[in-house]
């Protein structure tokens, strides 16, 4: 159990509930995640069944991360992954850092508890099933029932649930043993009579039992081994293969085996048998005629060579020069996979702050980019704003910090204490107050990109292993940062173009209320070709337009501006003619992009509208005292398909108090949903809140369509509501841009 002091009753009950769920479902491990509102991430609260080091890369994950628990919470659904192959296809990042035969389920917590229950099983026996293809409806019901049980515990807690700084680790426990079994002394005597050695490990890898014969084979004293991890207390077992085999056993619950040489030349075979309470290890001398034994301890034995016990084995080499921490390597694999998914510079900064800093125990981060001979800070964590202002914009040849020199010569710099830093850079410790630093130059193909600085609040030495891993990580960060800066530059250009082309405000007309909203996608380029417009024709006539240009890039935003201009130039003509002329303009532009568009000519005096659609979703309609509906249109082809097509007209009456909602497909299209059903549900919401002002109504419709605020596509939404008819006078004619 991590942490100190007495746990609150709610925490204790949650821990006991999770352990009981793991036992009842036959899972090998379980965890509970909760939403951390302040940090904006899902935080790991409690875990059981696996070492905390295994879950460390997943301690805090952004809701947008492509991992099962995030999908479960974001999409409010049970996520089931039945095999390692399915994990690779659906969640490659998770598969890279958990390369084991497991099945898992992530279930959202109901009842207002934003979080998830995560359960894992050995892949060949999830939930007691004979195959890992999928969970049956009954099994899915059991998992959902377990999630409801966790939610009830959280809801009944006297203290509101919170995400702790360090996740709690609880023991799964085991079922009571049958009565009249052998006494502990009889069991110990039985073990001691066996020629093989017997070793017991808990799920954290610590030795809980060691027989005399095992201690003899290991060449150590039993009392010195108890409570330690074998790869730490026995230098000749300090090999990544050893820890990896332990991790494979504890996570997959599969028996595994390996051989290792005890200096100078004694080969031992280790067979690991895991269950929910720990791992039993059988130690014996490797057969002298073992065909897989290498001639030298430095050559690893191939994976898959059968042993007398029938398990595939792998050999550990002789003691390496220095500790090779498998957990650190898994963190590197996990971080490498995560960095490939970052898009913008802010994503890179958030990933480093959320995952790199905890992985290496760092307290502060400064990420600088090389721009025009200066170090421009693009992100930071763990520093106050005043310090960042003093460090921002320093020249590359600065003597204030080692950042410029590290970037100039491409060699990382590590400083274990302020004294070590002050000998070469006297001003640096005074500026930040930090006690240790790692300056990692970010270089891509020999070109300096920037510098990543990790800092610590206490003095810290950097082992050779840490330096090697951090140096490798710097190369991955450099590539991610370079891609992100290019993306940001392109996005800013397109976004600026798009915002310049969208209307800054809607014209005010008597007898018509209006409101509009444009939302970029929450992931991706953040720009696109969605557009809307309201064009005043005269005092009693207006044209409402909404459309969507194919693509999310600069050409899409540019074409959107050209389409808007073409529509403005012909506004006031019948809707079918407006679309037909705009269609011919697109043909003259010879663009490969297609455009959907809905044009409505609205007569506020006669209270009627005429609509024409070029492949665009139909608007939502709510008239007073009548059921809401989706307007039935006969749409023509998309603009840009055929310059000679015609567009059917649809008349529509608009009595006072009528609300029309024009939207782009991002509002109703989502993976696994039917756009028509989504539009009908939105129409019902439109009627339900028909008495609201239009601005609040915009928010209501958007929240209903996208409750998680996760937009996979741009959304444009234009609301119109008719009031009292204006006087019948006509103005001078249509406005022009």
């Amino acid at each position: 159990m991590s942490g100190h002091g007495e746990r609150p009753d709610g925490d204790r009950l949650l821990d006991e509930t999770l352990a009981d769920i793991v036992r009842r479902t036959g899972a090998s491990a379980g965890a509970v995640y909760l939403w951390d509102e302040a940090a904006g991430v899902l935080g790991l609260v409690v875990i059981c069944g696996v070492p905390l080091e295994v879950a460390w890369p997943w301690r805090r994950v952004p809701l947008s991360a492509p991992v099962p628990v995030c999908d479960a919470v974001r999409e409010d659904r049970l996520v089931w992954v039945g095999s390692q192959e399915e994990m690779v296809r659906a969640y490659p990042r998770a598969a890279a850092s958990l390369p084991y035969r497991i099945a898992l389920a992530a279930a959202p917590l109901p009842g207002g508890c934003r979080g998830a229950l995560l359960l894992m099983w050995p892949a060949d026996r999830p939930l007691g099933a004979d195959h890992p293809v999928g969970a049956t409806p009954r099994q899915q019901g059991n998992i959902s029932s377990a999630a409801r049980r966790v939610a009830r515990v959280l809801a009944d807690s006297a203290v509101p649930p919170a995400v702790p700084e360090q996740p709690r680790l609880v023991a799964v426990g085991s079922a009571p043993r049958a009565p009249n079994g052998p006494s502990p002394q009889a069991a110990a005597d039985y073990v001691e009579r066996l020629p093989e050695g017997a070793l017991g490990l808990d799920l954290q890898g610590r030795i809980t039992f060691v027989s005399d014969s095992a201690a003899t084979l290991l060449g150590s004293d039993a009392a010195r081994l108890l409570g330690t991890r074998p790869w730490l207390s026995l230098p000749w077992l300090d090999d990544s293969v050893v820890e990896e085999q332990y991790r494979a056993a504890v996570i997959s619950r599969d028996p595994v085996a390996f051989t290792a040489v005890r200096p100078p030349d004694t080969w031992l075979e280790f067979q690991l048998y895991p269950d929910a309470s720990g791992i039993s290890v059988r130690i014996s001398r490797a057969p002298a005629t073992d065909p897989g034994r290498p001639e030298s301890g430095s050559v690893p034995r191939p994976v898959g060579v059968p042993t007398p016990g029938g398990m595939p084995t792998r050999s550990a080499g002789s003691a390496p020069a220095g500790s090779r921490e498998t957990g650190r390597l898994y963190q590197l694999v996990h971080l490498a996979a995560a960095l490939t998914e970052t898009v913008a510079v802010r994503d890179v900064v958030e990933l480093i702050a959320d995952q790199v800093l905890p992985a290496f125990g760092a307290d502060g981060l400064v990420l600088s980019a090389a721009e025009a001979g200066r170090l421009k800070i693009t992100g930071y964590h763990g520093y106050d704003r005043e310090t960042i202002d003093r460090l921002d914009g320093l020249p590359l040849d600065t003597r204030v910090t080692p950042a410029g020199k590290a970037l100039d010569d491409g060699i990382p710099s590590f400083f274990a204490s302020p004294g070590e830093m002050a000998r070469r850079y006297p001003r640096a410790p005074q500026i930040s107050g930090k006690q240790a630093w790692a300056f990692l130059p970010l270089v891509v193909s020999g070109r300096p990109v920037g510098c990543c600085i990790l800092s610590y609040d206490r003095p810290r030495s950097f082992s050779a292993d840490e330096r090697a891993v951090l140096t490798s990580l710097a190369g991955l960060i450099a590539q991610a940062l370079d891609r992100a800066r290019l993306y940001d530059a392109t996005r800013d250009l397109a976004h600026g173009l798009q915002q310049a082309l969208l209307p800054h405000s809607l014209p005010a007309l008597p007898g018509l209320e209006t409101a509009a909203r444009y939302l970029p996608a929450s992931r991706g380029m953040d720009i696109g070709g969605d557009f809307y417009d309201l064009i005043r024709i005269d005092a009693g006539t207006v044209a409402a337009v909404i459309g969507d240009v194919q693509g999310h890039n600069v050409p899409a935003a540019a074409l959107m501006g050209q389409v808007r201009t073409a529509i403005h130039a012909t506004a006031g003509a019948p809707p079918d003619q407006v679309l037909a002329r705009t269609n011919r303009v697109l043909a003259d532009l010879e663009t490969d992009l297609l455009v959907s568009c809905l044009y409505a000519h609205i007569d506020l005096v006669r209270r009627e509208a005429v609509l024409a659609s070029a492949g665009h979703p139909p608007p939502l309609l709510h008239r007073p005292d009548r059921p809401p509906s989706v307007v039935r249109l006969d749409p023509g082809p998309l603009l840009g398909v055929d310059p000679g097509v015609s567009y059917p007209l649809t008349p529509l009456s608009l009595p006072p108090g009528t609300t029309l909602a024009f939207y782009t497909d991002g509002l109703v299209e989502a993976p696994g949903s039917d756009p028509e059903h989504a539009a009908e549900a939105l129409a019902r919401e439109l009627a339900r809140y028909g008495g609201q002002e239009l601005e609040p109504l915009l928010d209501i419709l958007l929240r209903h369509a996208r409750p998680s605020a996760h937009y996979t596509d741009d959304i444009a939404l234009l609301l119109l509501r008719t009031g009292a008819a204006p006087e019948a006078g006509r103005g001078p004619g249509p406005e022009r841009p």
Side-chain angles (χ1 to χ4, degrees):
M1 195 76 66
S2 62
H4 302 281
E6 190 68 25
R7 288 176 297 158
D9 289 341
D11 290 351
R12 178 180 52 78
L13 186 56
L14 176 61
D15 298 353
E16 293 172 354
T17 300
L18 176 62
D20 187 60
I21 288 172
V22 169
R23 287 193 298 270
R24 288 176 180 270
T25 59
S28 58
V32 173
Y33 281 84
L34 291 178
W35 176 248
D36 187 336
E37 187 71 36
V41 297
L42 280 176
L44 179 60
V45 176
V46 58
I47 186 170
C48 65
V50 294
L52 192 56
E53 293 87 348
V54 173
W56 191 257
W58 314 99
R59 184 176 64 94
R60 303 172 74 80
V61 288
L63 192 59
S64 60
V67 294
V69 289
C70 295
D71 282 359
V73 175
R74 188 174 60 244
E75 300 172 13
D76 193 27
R77 66 180 177 91
L78 173 66
V79 175
W80 171 262
V81 182
S83 66
Q84 182 65 14
E85 292 76 14
E86 187 177 347
M87 181 79 81
V88 170
R89 289 194 302 270
Y91 301 100
R93 184 200 297 185
S97 55
L98 289 174
Y100 306 108
R101 297 174 60 252
I102 57 173
L104 65 81
L109 302 181
C113 295
R114 199 174 191 190
L117 169 68
L118 177 68
L119 297 171
M120 292 196 306
W121 295 264
D124 58 346
R125 49 186 185 277
L127 293 169
D130 295 328
H131 55 81
V133 174
T136 66
R138 180 178 179 181
Q139 292 163 346
Q140 293 179 20
N142 289 339
I143 297 169
S144 298
S145 176
R148 289 194 294 272
R149 183 180 170 191
V150 171
R152 285 196 298 271
V153 170
L154 294 171
D156 294 342
S157 176
V159 179
V163 178
E165 273 297 316
Q166 303 294 336
R168 299 191 299 275
L169 181 65
V170 299
V172 177
S174 57
R177 298 193 180 277
N180 302 322
S183 67
Q185 184 58 48
D189 291 342
Y190 167 79
V191 170
E192 292 296 349
R193 287 192 290 268
L194 295 175
E196 298 95 349
L199 202 69
L201 302 179
D202 64 14
L203 294 178
Q204 307 309 308
R206 295 183 293 260
I207 298 175
T208 57
F209 172 81
V210 55
S211 66
D212 290 342
S213 53
T216 301
L217 287 170
L218 295 174
S220 184
D221 181 74
R224 192 176 70 84
L225 292 174
L226 284 173
T228 68
R229 297 182 178 186
W231 51 88
L232 297 180
S233 57
L234 297 168
W236 53 275
L237 280 180
D238 186 8
D239 191 287
S240 58
V241 171
V242 175
E243 191 177 350
E244 163 59 19
Q245 296 305 304
Y246 150 74
R247 290 168 66 97
V250 77
I251 295 176
S252 69
R253 295 293 196 264
D254 286 333
V256 298
F258 63 91
T259 60
V261 61
R262 190 194 77 200
D265 56 3
T266 302
W267 281 90
L268 300 177
E269 181 175 64
F270 296 79
Q271 298 177 0
L272 282 64
Y273 299 90
D275 72 0
S277 62
I279 300 176
S280 297
V281 183
R282 178 181 174 186
I283 308 172
S284 59
R285 290 181 181 272
T289 57
D290 187 348
R293 178 183 296 180
E295 296 180 3
S296 169
S298 62
V299 181
R301 178 176 178 173
V303 176
V305 177
T307 70
M311 291 182 290
T313 68
R314 186 173 180 181
S315 69
S318 58
S323 173
R324 287 181 281 176
E325 302 176 36
T326 303
R328 186 78 72 192
L329 296 178
Y330 275 97
Q331 288 172 341
L332 182 59
V333 171
H334 169 77
L335 295 171
L339 281 167
T340 63
E341 298 173 354
T342 54
V343 178
V345 170
R346 71 170 183 271
D347 298 331
V348 178
V349 174
E350 290 172 0
L351 177 69
I352 297 173
D354 292 340
Q355 301 187 36
V356 175
L357 295 191
F360 293 92
D363 304 295
L365 161 73
V366 175
L367 190 65
S368 300
E371 293 182 4
R374 293 187 174 272
L375 287 168
K376 181 66 176 177
I377 295 178
T378 58
Y380 64 95
H381 177 84
Y383 286 83
D384 59 68
R385 183 69 240 184
E386 182 181 353
T387 300
I388 293 301
D389 289 340
R390 294 176 67 185
L391 296 173
D392 194 16
L394 291 174
L396 291 179
D397 59 355
T398 178
R399 295 293 299 172
V400 175
T401 78
K405 185 177 186 304
L407 192 57
D408 181 56
D409 57 25
I411 301 174
S413 299
F414 300 91
F415 299 89
S417 67
E420 186 177 336
M421 169 73 82
R423 282 193 291 271
R424 296 175 59 186
Y425 300 91
R427 295 172 56 190
Q430 301 171 9
I431 292 178
S432 67
K434 299 294 184 180
Q435 302 294 302
W437 300 263
F439 290 82
L440 308 174
L442 306 180
V443 181
V444 176
S445 301
R447 175 173 51 87
V449 174
C451 186
C452 179
I453 305 169
L454 304 184
S455 60
Y456 300 80
D457 291 339
R458 297 180 180 178
R460 173 195 178 95
S461 60
F462 297 89
S463 66
D465 170 69
E466 273 191 318
R467 294 181 185 222
V469 173
L470 285 170
T471 301
S472 300
L473 184 62
L476 300 172
I477 294 175
Q479 295 180 31
L481 181 62
D482 197 39
R483 291 193 307 268
R485 291 177 63 195
L486 178 61
Y487 163 85
D488 281 350
T490 306
R491 180 202 57 192
D492 291 344
L493 172 62
H495 191 62
L497 175 61
Q498 183 184 45
Q499 292 301 313
L501 294 174
L502 285 174
H504 297 289
S505 62
L506 300 178
L509 292 102
L512 187 67
E513 297 178 51
T514 63
R517 187 75 55 81
Y518 169 78
L519 294 177
S522 58
R523 286 184 64 85
M525 280 295 295
D526 286 346
I527 60 95
D530 289 22
F531 65 94
Y532 62 87
D533 215 336
L534 194 66
I535 307 169
R536 179 180 177 181
I537 307 301
D538 55 41
T541 311
V542 65
V545 188
I546 196 161
D548 186 359
V549 180
Q550 176 188 16
H552 293 79
N553 47 33
V554 174
L559 183 60
M560 177 264 283
Q562 293 171 307
V563 170
R564 282 192 64 234
T565 301
I567 291 173
H568 266 265
T570 56
D576 57 337
Q577 294 300 312
V578 172
L579 292 185
R581 294 171 187 174
T582 304
N583 189 32
R584 288 194 290 271
V585 171
L586 260 67
D588 293 340
L589 292 173
E590 298 182 348
T591 176
D592 294 330
L593 302 177
L594 302 177
V595 181
S596 72
C597 186
L598 176 64
Y599 182 95
H601 183 95
I602 301 173
D603 190 323
L604 298 173
V605 176
R606 296 187 178 91
R607 296 196 180 100
E608 62 184 19
V610 180
L611 288 71
S613 172
H616 197 83
L620 312 177
L621 173 66
H622 177 234
R623 298 186 180 104
D625 303 323
R626 295 185 62 178
S629 64
V630 179
V631 177
R632 301 299 175 188
L633 292 176
D634 183 12
L638 294 169
L639 301 177
V641 172
D642 181 355
V645 297
S646 59
Y647 295 91
L649 296 174
T650 300
L652 196 64
S653 64
L654 302 176
T658 297
T659 303
L660 270 173
F662 299 84
Y663 57 91
T664 53
D665 56 9
L667 189 68
V668 295
E669 291 185 358
S673 67
D674 184 335
E676 292 186 5
H677 291 165
E680 291 169 356
L682 276 173
R684 291 191 292 271
E685 288 294 296
L686 187 67
R688 181 182 178 188
Y689 296 98
Q692 292 273 0
E693 296 292 329
L694 292 189
E695 283 293 340
L697 185 56
L698 281 172
D699 295 325
I700 291 171
L701 295 178
L702 289 169
R703 278 198 302 268
H704 178 83
R706 292 290 185 270
S708 67
H710 179 73
Y711 305 95
T712 56
D713 194 5
D714 296 18
I715 296 174
L717 180 58
L718 173 64
L719 297 183
L720 306 178
R721 179 180 291 158
T722 57
E727 296 182 4
R730 298 293 182 180
E735 289 187 352
R736 292 294 182 261

